[in-house]
Amino acid sequence: SKYDETPVKCSSLADVDERAVQRYRQMRKKVDPDAVELEYATPELLSALGCTSRENPQELNMAGILLFGNELAIKRACARARVDYIRILGNDWHAVADQFDAVDTYAPIFLIVDKLMSIIYGELTTRHRFHRDSIQPETEMFPVEVMREAIVNMLMHRDYRHGQYT
């Protein structure tokens, strides 16, 4: 079977981060306010989305853990799912490898997208212009849709079986 359908032994519906389920519901409602699955209770919703084991609907599969699992469940089932956002000073990684700031997190994909958007978009939208007497920040609008698409693609197309950096 596919990796995302692999049952996660010793997992249960108690491993679900309800904030991720609520975020899914918000996003789904924007696309189709009348979607039938919006009426489902969480266990039925996860089953309908293919996020539970076929053999045991009380057990999550890898998709369920990665999309909706809480931090502890993600660490336990797929330690490689950690997302690191690393800021370096300058533009040469090797020259300043000891001068960096990192944000690392384990979170369900439905929540981590917003967190990464906040971090990255906040840094990319401001640039500074030199004026006669001062340096002033100037806001440029970086297309939110483009950044969201890039982050979602990075997370959804990543191979979680291998511990490689993204």
Side-chain angles (χ1 to χ4, degrees):
S1 73
K2 297 178 188 173
Y3 180 72
D4 55 347
E5 296 174 348
T6 304
V8 177
K9 300 301 178 197
C10 300
S11 70
S12 73
L13 296 175
D15 292 321
V16 172
D17 186 327
E18 198 58 42
R19 296 172 306 156
V21 174
Q22 294 300 49
R23 183 67 177 128
Y24 169 81
R25 290 180 191 278
Q26 290 169 349
M27 293 168 62
R28 182 69 176 121
K29 192 171 188 173
K30 286 181 182 178
V31 174
D32 181 3
D34 299 319
V36 66
E37 69 269 19
L38 291 172
E39 302 299 322
Y40 295 170
T42 298
E44 289 77 26
L45 174 66
L46 295 173
S47 178
L49 295 175
C51 292
T52 57
S53 167
R54 289 182 185 167
E55 296 80 27
N56 178 3
Q58 300 298 309
E59 181 179 70
L60 298 172
N61 59 25
M62 283 306 296
I65 292 287
L66 293 171
L67 292 168
F68 297 105
N70 62 35
E71 180 179 342
L72 182 59
I74 295 170
K75 284 181 179 179
R76 190 176 61 235
C78 189
R80 298 179 205 108
R82 185 180 84 191
V83 173
D84 296 325
Y85 179 76
I86 301 172
R87 295 180 199 100
I88 62 169
L89 302 174
N91 59 9
D92 182 0
W93 174 262
H94 299 289
V96 293
D98 61 340
Q99 299 173 5
F100 67 91
D101 178 33
V103 176
D104 64 318
T105 187
Y106 288 93
I109 289 174
F110 278 109
L111 297 180
I112 208 162
V113 169
D114 292 334
K115 183 174 185 173
L116 290 173
M117 284 287 296
S118 177
I119 293 169
I120 297 170
Y121 194 75
E123 292 181 2
L124 292 179
T125 58
T126 302
R127 70 176 183 179
H128 294 84
R129 291 220 183 228
F130 291 94
H131 296 279
R132 288 186 185 156
D133 300 323
S134 66
I135 301 174
Q136 297 183 358
E138 200 175 76
T139 302
E140 287 187 344
M141 295 310 293
F142 189 84
V144 175
E145 299 82 13
V146 172
M147 181 57 65
R148 180 173 293 280
E149 182 74 14
I151 291 170
V152 168
N153 283 340
M154 175 195 71
L155 294 169
M156 295 305 291
H157 296 293
R158 179 178 175 191
D159 186 349
Y160 289 91
R161 292 173 288 193
H162 306 289
Q164 297 182 353
Y165 299 105
T166 302

